[in-house]
Amino acid sequence: MEVESARKFALPVDSEHKATEFRLFSIAEPHMRAFHLSWISFFACFVSTFAAPPLLPIIRDNLNLTATDIGNAGIASVSGAVFARIAMGTACDLFGPRLASASLILLTAPAVYFTSIVSSPVSFLLVRFFTGFSLATFVSTQFWMSSMFSAPVVGTANGVAGGWGNLGGGATQLIMPLVFGLIRDIGAVKFTAWRISFFVPAFFQMLSAFAVLIFGKDLPDGNFRKLQKSGDKHKDKFSNVFYHGVTNYRGWLLALTYGYCFGVELTIDNIIAEYFYDRFNLELHTAGIIAASFGLANIISRPSGGLISDIVAKRFGMRGRLWALWIVQTLGGVFCIILGRVGSLSASIAVMIAFSFFCQAACGLTFGVVPFVSRRSLGVISGMTGGGGNVGAVLTQLIFFKGSKYSKETGITLMGIMIIFCTLPIFLIYFPQWGGMFCGPSSKKVATEEDYYMSEWNSAEKEQGLHQASLKFADNSRSERGQRADSQTISPNLSTPSTNV
């Protein structure tokens, strides 16, 4: 029986064996172990990708980098992950998050090592480009959490995993100057010390990949390959998975809006240390500490976004998640505008911290919505949304921070205006079974969770029973009705409650 099989898990689970509780300080297998492996590996990739910006004042002198060279390298560091994230999403759907993420981490680690031997602006741009591919592990992180945690806590799980992984963007602002200083103090000249420093993030990144491979599980019941061999999970076709992902307009809208919360976060990670260093004539270490506070805010900001998403969903359902996302991200745009306008150091720091909270919380709120867009093509939707974040980073850096067309403070202000306008499409997201921001669910009797998720399967596939996982997910996502779910807890298309599906 389903209830008896559920007893093998340390956490309470639903009919898909997804955890219905999120216990932050537990390492229980497989749910919480997957959580810790996912955020640590993503953290390692973030440290590697943004290891260069804290040392740019030294690197630019060694390699004779111009402002344009630095801008191009910053764009390169986030542009590679645009397509890598979409590919990662598809790989997760087909092969599982464990193998997909570990493979990418190991493939990109050499680029981090090679940073130590760059000798020109072109080679510096190339290593940042290839290192940036590792940011696609964000998609596997969110896919993994969505596969391990049930609807009532999936926003929290995604928010904390993504937020703690993103901490790497702030931590590297502290780690790299410290590592550089230690190596220099041991006796290396500064133009050698910065090169040796890159061995630290590269080694950390490799260790995290091996940990994922050895200790992780794709799903609560095991790894993709084992479950497919036993017949407990069917092997889906690439064409079907990809088609149902790219034809769902909600995924494209979330990709656009995510470009102006996470994309902005990536942009700030690239420019903020140099911004404070140059504008306020600070020491390198001091600028690094201030810049680190932006990324380190992820320890509470992005998780708070995921938690807010789950809390409002309990009362208002999916409509609450959408409203909360729009409000928080718009406030992030307002604080971004203010950040570019204030002129004192203390005011800039205060506004930057407020901006970081709303910007990063919006990221967590976004991935409170993503798991419900598609059950069959969860990875593709996650990849599209994540890739949208990188597209936003590329565009904002190209428009506002490449070369000397705008001062950095003007660029920050204009970026805030763009955030506000590019958040408006959230108004257009509508789920027939739950509604949207301005209207409730469809009045048609067929507008149910089952109808929405079953539309991804044709009649032949249903006859083979391939849709059963989506059927369970539809029943478990009934809580997205909000308070309406209190009186409708049994699926009309199922004869038993969700715990016995």
Side-chain angles (χ1 to χ4, degrees), residues 43-52 112 128 131 134 168 172 198 201-202 205:
F43 177 96
C45 293
F46 235 100
V47 169
S48 295
T49 299
F50 294 100
V112 190
R128 293 215 65 195
T131 301
S134 67
T172 193
F198 279 84
Q205 182 173 322

Side-chain angles (χ1 to χ4, degrees), residues 319-340:
R319 298 181 70 186
R321 292 187 192 270
L322 295 173
W323 269 105
L325 171 56
W326 175 75
I327 291 170
V328 169
Q329 187 157 320
T330 299
L331 287 173
V334 171
F335 279 106
C336 186
I337 293 172
I338 297 172
L339 177 62

Side-chain angles (χ1 to χ4, degrees), residues 34 48 59 94 153 158 170 192 207 325 359 371 385 446 459 476 490:
S48 295
I59 297 173
L94 298 177
V153 295
N158 274 331
T192 301
L207 285 180
L325 171 56
C359 175
T385 306
V446 296
S459 56
N476 292 325
I490 306 298

Side-chain angles (χ1 to χ4, degrees), residues 41-54 56 59 73-81 85 104-105 108-109 111-112 115 124-125 127-138 165 168-170 172-173 176 198 201-202 204-205 262 266 269-270 390 397:
S41 59
F42 184 41
F43 177 96
C45 293
F46 235 100
V47 169
S48 295
T49 299
F50 294 100
L56 268 178
I59 297 173
I75 293 167
S77 70
V78 295
S79 60
R85 287 190 168 200
L104 182 63
I105 293 170
T108 53
V112 190
T115 306
F124 180 66
L125 182 147
V127 292
R128 293 215 65 195
F129 174 72
F130 287 111
T131 301
F133 274 67
S134 67
L135 290 182
T137 51
F138 167 76
T172 193
Q173 303 281 355
M176 293 307 291
F198 279 84
F204 179 34
Q205 182 173 322
F262 183 66
L266 291 179
D269 282 336
N270 265 327
N390 287 75
Q397 289 181 75

Side-chain angles (χ1 to χ4, degrees), residues 300-319:
I300 59 169
S301 55
R302 187 167 186 143
S304 295
L307 183 60
I308 290 168
S309 186
D310 286 339
I311 289 174
V312 297
K314 287 180 180 178
R315 181 170 182 180
F316 303 106
M318 178 56 67
R319 298 181 70 186

Side-chain angles (χ1 to χ4, degrees), residues 71-154:
N72 287 337
I75 293 167
S77 70
V78 295
S79 60
V82 173
F83 299 106
R85 287 190 168 200
I86 297 174
M88 174 63 81
T90 306
C92 286
D93 279 323
L94 298 177
F95 308 111
R98 170 180 155 273
L99 186 60
S101 62
S103 299
L104 182 63
I105 293 170
L106 291 174
L107 285 171
T108 53
V112 190
Y113 283 113
F114 289 154
T115 306
S116 63
I117 59 172
V118 297
S119 58
S120 67
V122 173
S123 57
F124 180 66
L125 182 147
L126 288 174
V127 292
R128 293 215 65 195
F129 174 72
F130 287 111
T131 301
F133 274 67
S134 67
L135 290 182
T137 51
F138 167 76
V139 176
S140 58
T141 295
Q142 302 297 281
F143 182 97
W144 211 354
M145 294 304 92
S146 298
S147 300
M148 286 288 183
F149 293 91
S150 191
V153 295
V154 70

